[in-house]
Amino acid sequence: MVAITLPDGSVRRYPNPITGLEVATDIGPGLARAALALRIDGTMRDLTTRLDQDTAIAIVTAKDGDDALELLRHDTAHLMAEAVKELYPETLVTIGPSIENGFYYDFCRPTPFTPADLPLIEERMRQIVERDEPITCEIWDRDAAVAFFQGLGETYKAEIISAIPAEQKITLYRQGNFIDLCRGPHLSSTAKVGKAFKLMKLAGAYWRGDSRNAMLQRIYGTAWFDKKDLDAYLHMLEEAEKRDHRRLGREMNLFHQQEEAVGSVFWHPAGWQLWRTVEGVIRRRLDANGYVEVKTPQLVDRRLWEASGHWEKFSQSMFLATSGEEELQLAIKPMNCPCHVQIYRQGIKSYRDLPLRMAEFGSCHRYEPSGALHGIMRVRAFTQDDAHIFCTEDQITSETIAFCELFKTVYRDFGFDNVRVKFSDRPEKRAGSDETWDKAEGALLEAAKAAGLETTLNPGEGAFYGPKLEFVLRDAIGRDWQCGTLQVDFVMPERLDASYIAEDGGKRRPVMLHRAILGSFERFLGILIEHFAGRFPVWLAPVQVVVATIVSSADDYALEVLGALKAAGLRAEVDLRNEKINYKVRAHSEAKVPVMLVVGKREAEIKSVAMRRLGGSEQEILALDDAVAKLAEESKPPA
RNA sequence: GCUGCCGUAGCUCAGUUGGUAGAGCAUACCCUUGGUAAGGGUAAGGUCGAUGGUUCGAUUCCAUUCGGCAGCACCA
């Protein structure tokens, strides 16, 4: 006798052990059809799992959201592997997990896949779905499984099995003629995958994620429970492409990049205006929060980088400067901290000087790998909104709290409300003793807790000199971006010999907190462009208002309006071209100017303007003075 | 850096099975003075990413190289 408890608390009793699928069938044929898997103790299990003792189960259907999608995507990955093995039997299979929005599978084969292969594989996948092949789980002996895959020539699979801890069961899943090592769970049949999937792209990927290993062929796909969801996802991708900052940068004439300066940005007037607006926000906040601003040299002798430890770890990605005249040992600075320590070291510091918050809009250069470059989001020449807080150990907590308040305010100003925090602890390659790291990690975690932050652990991802908090914001279309950071550093002050005189007259080491709110201007501006899809709020927009005439007899008045706007501090332009108003409205709408003031004969006569908002179809007739006052108010950046 | 794909006018793209190229938009000029997302006409605009090779002849074929895109690896 087994008693099966369902989520609603009801209990069903059966005389003999029973499978989840049988329970579902017993409840109703509709549920049996919809059933995908079971959840037992919070773990997903196969629908065919045999229940031989009293158990509480939930039957998972497509309505179960992420869990169900993960299952589906994992199955679609297997389905793809089966199709690939049928079409290209010489291909070796490796792993194929579900990921956000879809799945991938890594294959090994002598000749790479081409984009033309994708539709063929997709078609075969549909055929396998129609075949309705049952997916069954088998428990194998480890040695037998290794021998089995070796026998098939599937060396990667054999290697994976060998690496599974001895106490774990080896489960293989069989569908048709395809058999794969897998932890499961899986759907009960290939038919349950349905047809709302699509293979998206080909890419290379290193075996086990290590660049020293062979490169495999990865195929990415997306999978959903119904076609509507698939279409919605594909539509979302199209929308994301439309707001790509590289495209908008060109269309809105914000910046450009070219071969002669790979990894750098040519900022055009409009883009630079955006930069200056953002910089202004940060500068005002720094001033209001007790920071001092400095500027440090671009070229710094290699000795300083050797002393700081950066040379040892990063010399490969530092630019070196030579003069042609003599042997120079200068590096173009890849970061600002050692320079800030030099300013700190001028004169004797007292505990009364701490915390000393030293900020710089620091222009840095790093030779990033070519493949890492991406528009203005990842460049070789960038400007950080950097600052280093020199403080005592006792001040770490209060400084962390103050910084968290600061970045939240700034992010909110730019329209980002959703921010998560990651805590990255000691990496393998690091400076400083274990005791120092214990202290730094402990202090940072405690401070994060005191600041009311919930953190998720990012193991081994800290900087070489200390642990970090990383601030991840979510943009308007749900993508996550890591921007801000706060890092505790006990190492750099030691290496570069920074000290202060404590209350008792003794000499002490300060702690350095490295912190940035935006990260780099280039990256943050790229994110802003994509977040707003180029439709900036008035205070951020490079051009805030365009005055457009309907007839040339209104030209003089239009210039008067322009003058009034400029006098009120607005970034305004005038369009007197010999074009119809329809044309002008379209042109400036496409340029994403937030406000248009249209003037014709009527407006010129009574000194009014017809105000039109980007994307709207309404017009508002206002007296010139009122319009200017209203826009001046709207265009104020956050205080 | 690695794997794959791509590089034709300012932009989006067509084309040449090897005989040095075409459209739309944008630009300039002319006509049009028009009331809220493209009025009409004319013109100008390209050593087809670069270098080398094969060829009577290369934008087209081959090699190398630079740059871009997607992913991987990297990210002080």
Side-chain angles (χ1 to χ4, degrees):
Chain A
M1 192 71 151
V2 288
I4 304 299
T5 309
L6 296 165
D8 65 357
S10 66
V11 179
R12 286 172 177 261
R13 291 172 205 284
Y14 301 95
N16 298 305
I18 190 166
T19 69
L21 182 58
E22 286 163 342
V23 174
T25 309
D26 184 45
I27 296 171
L31 182 61
R33 269 196 305 279
L36 302 171
L38 302 180
R39 194 183 293 109
I40 304 175
D41 285 340
T43 309
M44 299 274 281
R45 304 289 296 275
D46 291 337
L47 203 51
T48 50
T49 301
R50 214 172 136 77
L51 307 166
D52 50 14
Q53 48 190 320
D54 295 358
T55 318
I57 66 166
I59 293 167
V60 176
T61 68
K63 291 202 182 88
D64 284 66
D66 291 347
D67 281 351
L69 277 169
E70 194 180 322
L71 190 68
L72 172 80
R73 288 165 182 165
H74 187 188
D75 272 83
T76 318
H78 275 240
L79 179 66
M80 178 167 76
E82 182 180 1
V84 166
K85 286 295 282 184
E86 285 189 12
L87 289 166
Y88 316 96
E90 75 286 4
T91 305
L92 303 185
V93 293
T94 69
I95 56 161
S98 71
I99 53 173
E100 194 176 8
N101 296 320
F103 60 91
Y104 67 79
Y105 206 109
D106 286 346
F107 300 100
C108 175
R109 63 198 305 258
T111 51
F113 291 110
T114 70
D117 293 325
L118 295 187
L120 302 178
I121 298 169
E122 229 178 81
E123 180 50 36
R124 181 59 65 102
M125 288 168 71
R126 290 181 207 290
Q127 289 170 14
I128 298 173
V129 168
E130 271 166 27
R131 280 187 224 152
D132 193 8
E133 293 172 352
I135 302 172
T136 54
C137 180
E138 302 168 13
I139 297 173
W140 280 52
D141 170 69
R142 163 186 310 269
D143 295 338
V146 171
F148 174 73
F149 282 108
Q150 286 288 7
L152 290 176
E154 295 280 8
T155 49
Y156 287 95
K157 276 289 167 199
E159 189 182 328
I160 297 169
I161 297 172
S162 307
I164 294 177
E167 66 277 10
Q168 269 184 38
K169 276 192 286 189
I170 307 292
T171 53
L172 302 191
Y173 279 78
R174 191 186 289 278
Q175 54 191 78
N177 293 320
F178 179 67
I179 183 160
D180 198 2
L181 167 79
C182 189
R183 187 181 298 125
H186 276 285
L187 301 173
S188 55
S189 155
T190 56
K192 293 223 170 179
V193 171
K195 299 206 171 165
F197 58 81
K198 183 173 165 61
L199 302 187
M200 303 298 286
K201 57 197 170 198
L202 293 166
Y206 297 109
W207 168 236
R208 301 207 146 152
D210 189 326
S211 59
R212 287 165 301 192
N213 289 342
M215 182 153 274
L216 307 171
Q217 307 271 323
R218 176 173 296 180
I219 303 180
Y220 283 93
T222 184
W224 303 83
F225 278 107
D226 65 65
K227 183 139 188 330
K228 242 188 284 169
D229 292 343
L230 173 63
D231 291 343
Y233 174 67
L234 296 177
H235 184 251
M236 191 279 284
L237 289 183
E238 278 173 37
E239 291 301 309
E241 200 184 318
K242 278 186 205 156
R243 61 172 71 203
D244 187 306
H245 73 281
R246 292 162 297 190
R247 176 193 185 127
L248 289 172
R250 187 181 59 239
E251 289 176 357
M252 298 174 71
N253 198 9
L254 300 174
F255 61 84
H256 86 270
Q257 297 178 282
Q258 66 184 52
E259 283 191 34
E260 287 78 3
V262 172
S264 300
V265 185
F266 291 79
W267 288 100
H268 296 10
W272 189 245
Q273 177 55 246
L274 184 63
W275 178 304
R276 293 203 304 167
T277 305
V278 172
E279 191 179 67
V281 170
I282 300 296
R283 186 170 272 135
R284 279 191 295 278
R285 290 273 187 247
L286 294 178
D287 288 348
N289 283 272
Y291 285 78
V292 290
E293 188 180 327
V294 298
K295 200 74 180 174
T296 61
Q298 224 40 240
L299 295 172
V300 180
D301 195 284
R302 138 177 196 179
R303 280 174 298 163
L304 184 62
W305 307 108
E306 284 172 346
S308 70
H310 291 99
W311 186 266
E312 191 194 348
K313 194 162 192 297
F314 294 110
S315 61
Q316 286 305 301
S317 47
M318 282 162 73
F319 287 98
L320 295 177
T322 55
S323 76
E325 278 294 308
E326 51 188 305
E327 184 96 357
L328 280 173
Q329 294 281 308
L330 299 180
I332 303 175
K333 75 171 171 188
M335 42 144 39
N336 310 299
C337 10
C339 294
H340 289 184
V341 176
Q342 303 315 303
I343 295 181
Y344 176 90
R345 275 164 43 93
Q346 293 301 112
I348 295 173
K349 293 291 177 293
S350 150
Y351 70 94
R352 296 173 192 274
D353 296 318
L354 307 185
L356 174 58
R357 309 184 187 95
M358 191 184 292
E360 176 172 5
F361 296 113
S363 168
C364 297
H365 293 75
R366 297 176 186 173
Y367 190 79
E368 302 287 2
S370 58
L373 301 177
H374 178 82
I376 65 173
M377 300 282 207
R378 185 85 183 268
V379 284
R380 288 182 177 150
F382 55 96
T383 305
Q384 296 175 316
D385 65 317
D386 203 5
H388 296 93
I389 301 170
F390 297 87
C391 64
T392 66
E393 284 180 37
D394 292 345
Q395 291 167 333
I396 295 176
T397 304
S398 56
E399 287 303 308
T400 298
I401 294 171
F403 176 67
C404 292
E405 270 314 305
L406 176 59
F407 90 72
K408 271 192 241 168
T409 325
V410 173
Y411 282 11
R412 207 174 301 129
D413 287 342
F414 288 109
F416 301 110
D417 292 323
N418 188 335
V419 181
R420 290 179 306 115
V421 186
K422 292 191 292 189
F423 173 72
S424 300
D425 63 7
R426 64 193 77 184
E428 261 178 51
K429 257 183 107 177
R430 58 179 183 263
S433 66
D434 285 354
E435 296 85 74
T436 304
W437 275 90
D438 288 343
K439 200 160 68 175
E441 286 172 359
L444 187 55
L445 261 185
E446 190 201 327
K449 199 186 268 177
L453 300 178
E454 272 188 40
T455 57
T456 56
L457 182 65
N458 217 4
E461 294 292 316
F464 76 89
Y465 49 69
K468 7 181 200 182
L469 293 180
E470 294 178 325
F471 303 99
V472 179
L473 56 84
R474 177 157 292 182
D475 75 9
I477 55 172
R479 295 172 305 177
D480 290 334
W481 303 93
Q482 196 235 300
C483 293
T485 181
L486 173 70
Q487 309 170 4
V488 179
D489 181 2
F490 286 91
V491 174
M492 205 64 58
E494 180 73 35
R495 287 195 167 226
L496 297 177
D497 192 25
S499 61
Y500 66 93
I501 307 300
E503 273 177 284
D504 61 6
K507 203 170 161 184
R508 301 276 161 75
R509 291 276 173 231
V511 179
M512 259 176 104
L513 304 179
H514 306 240
R515 41 107 296 171
I517 301 173
L518 309 181
S520 93
F521 276 84
E522 286 78 2
R523 179 176 162 83
F524 191 77
L525 291 176
I527 294 167
L528 268 190
I529 291 167
E530 300 202 356
H531 176 64
F532 287 114
R535 296 165 162 251
F536 297 111
V538 176
W539 71 272
L540 267 175
V543 176
Q544 298 171 313
V545 195
V546 166
V547 184
T549 52
I550 293 171
V551 290
S552 54
S553 60
D555 285 3
D556 288 346
Y557 176 61
L559 290 168
E560 184 186 333
V561 173
L562 178 71
L565 290 167
K566 287 196 163 170
L570 284 146
R571 298 186 288 271
E573 291 180 356
V574 67
D575 185 350
L576 304 180
R577 288 180 298 174
N578 177 13
E579 297 288 354
K580 288 200 163 64
I581 193 61
N582 291 14
Y583 180 89
K584 294 184 183 181
V585 165
R586 180 181 157 83
H588 300 297
S589 297
E590 286 193 331
K592 301 182 171 61
V593 176
V595 179
M596 279 185 79
L597 297 183
V598 175
V599 296
K601 216 180 282 176
R602 295 203 294 270
E603 287 77 11
E605 275 164 16
I606 59 165
K607 304 274 182 201
S608 68
V609 293
M611 184 153 75
R612 183 189 210 280
R613 301 281 178 169
L614 176 59
S617 53
E618 305 287 299
Q619 64 167 338
E620 191 181 357
I621 308 291
L622 295 168
L624 175 56
D625 293 347
D626 293 344
V628 171
K630 189 169 179 163
L631 290 172
E633 181 59 32
E634 255 184 72
S635 68
K636 275 194 201 148

